[in-house]
Amino acid sequence: MSAAPPRVLTVAGSDSGGGAGIQADLKTMLALGTHGMSVITAVTAQNSLGVQGAWELPAEAVRAQYRSVVDDIGVQAVKTGMLASAELVETVAELLAGTGVPTVVDPVGVSKHGDPLLAASALESVRTKLLPVATVATPNLDEVAQLTGVRVTSEEGLREAATAVLEYGPAWVLIKGGHLAGDALDLLTDGTEEHWLRAPRYDNRHTHGTGCTLASAIAAQLAKGQPVPEAVRAAKEYVTGAIAAGFALGAGIGPVDHGWTFRESHAAG
């Protein structure tokens, strides 16, 4: 009998198109050698063109899923994504505070297509309840502006953005600069150490699920025992490869390729 791989839990919404959300998280966790488990917070009707509908689950259903997994199976890391409402944000933050494992918070505000995935009334709960329990918070530039009011237009602004997010209490913040021109540059910092992560920008529009995938990859690496800087660096390498291999699906924006490492090794073999 084999030993169980490291266990990672995603607390997020379902993407029926399979490119983002719970589906992206579980594919990423598998690709990186961990056992993925899920707490579904919302169900979306979603495809390559956008989100056609979203229905959040009751807080009691989210709490029951979380306790069911954590109390029996246990976890080595948790990742959060779409939490939809203030009640769900506060419920999840309370659960995380009592779990005591590394937590990656992806403060999802809008989808790749611009569809809102977080009620405006929930922003304060994200700031005051969720970010303080994060080991790593991973906002993109739109989410930084939503949470802090800081608008980044150049690489120099990433440090100001990081300082603004750290004031809400996460241990580390990864400011994703992918919306800027030039290379895909991110800043990881805990307010003392700084790690600038640069990767080539691929001319590929099929990038649905990038944020979910990166946060899940970080959580998977943390579950394997890597320190935060190493975990983030490895996760960025994985997601960069997934973006490069992203493929067309449907009539709109296709997903990143979560299985690119399998396909590369198969081709090599």
Side-chain angles (χ1 to χ4, degrees):
M1 185 172 62
S2 300
R7 289 146 289 167
V8 193
L9 178 63
T10 168
V11 183
S14 166
D15 170 5
S16 54
I22 290 280
Q23 288 80 355
D25 298 340
L26 294 176
K27 291 173 191 177
T28 300
M29 292 166 185
L30 177 64
L32 294 175
T34 63
H35 175 69
M37 305 169 291
S38 63
V39 171
I40 297 177
T41 60
V43 174
T44 69
Q46 190 172 165
N47 56 26
S48 70
L49 297 172
V51 179
Q52 291 78 45
W55 300 266
E56 67 182 76
L57 268 67
E60 65 194 65
V62 170
R63 185 180 287 107
Q65 291 176 82
Y66 190 98
R67 290 263 62 94
S68 178
V69 170
V70 173
D71 293 349
D72 173 49
I73 300 172
V75 294
Q76 270 87 49
V78 182
K79 174 259 177 182
T80 71
M82 176 185 177
L83 300 180
S85 69
E87 184 182 16
L88 287 183
V89 170
E90 290 171 17
T91 298
V92 170
E94 179 188 333
L95 290 165
L96 293 171
T99 304
V101 297
T103 300
V104 181
V105 170
D106 185 14
V108 176
V110 296
S111 76
K112 177 73 69 181
H113 303 87
D115 303 292
L117 299 175
L118 181 73
S121 57
L123 278 172
E124 191 58 24
S125 298
V126 172
R127 294 182 191 108
T128 61
K129 300 289 201 313
L130 190 60
L131 288 176
V133 299
T135 307
V136 188
T138 63
N140 63 30
L141 299 186
D142 291 339
E143 290 154 357
V144 167
Q146 203 177 28
L147 289 165
T148 70
V150 173
R151 298 194 177 277
V152 178
T153 57
S154 66
E155 291 184 4
E156 294 71 38
L158 293 176
R159 190 176 279 127
E160 180 190 359
T163 299
V165 176
L166 283 171
E167 285 179 2
Y168 291 115
W172 293 81
V173 63
L174 177 68
I175 304 293
K176 299 181 294 192
H179 293 182
L180 297 175
D183 289 348
L185 179 67
D186 305 328
L187 171 60
L188 173 70
T189 179
D190 62 354
T192 304
E193 289 181 41
E194 281 188 354
H195 301 268
W196 295 86
L197 307 173
R198 193 180 295 273
R201 181 179 300 279
Y202 291 99
D203 183 19
N204 186 353
R205 66 191 289 262
H206 302 299
T207 56
H208 184 50
T210 308
C212 307
T213 300
L214 178 62
S216 295
I218 296 169
Q221 302 296 1
L222 291 173
K224 292 191 279 191
Q226 291 190 358
V228 169
E230 285 83 347
V232 172
R233 199 172 296 281
K236 172 126 172 146
E237 287 178 12
Y238 168 75
V239 82
T240 299
I243 290 169
F247 51 87
L249 211 62
I253 299 173
V256 301
D257 184 357
H258 299 97
W260 71 273
T261 53
F262 304 136
R263 283 183 250 291
E264 278 208 348
S265 58
H266 181 70

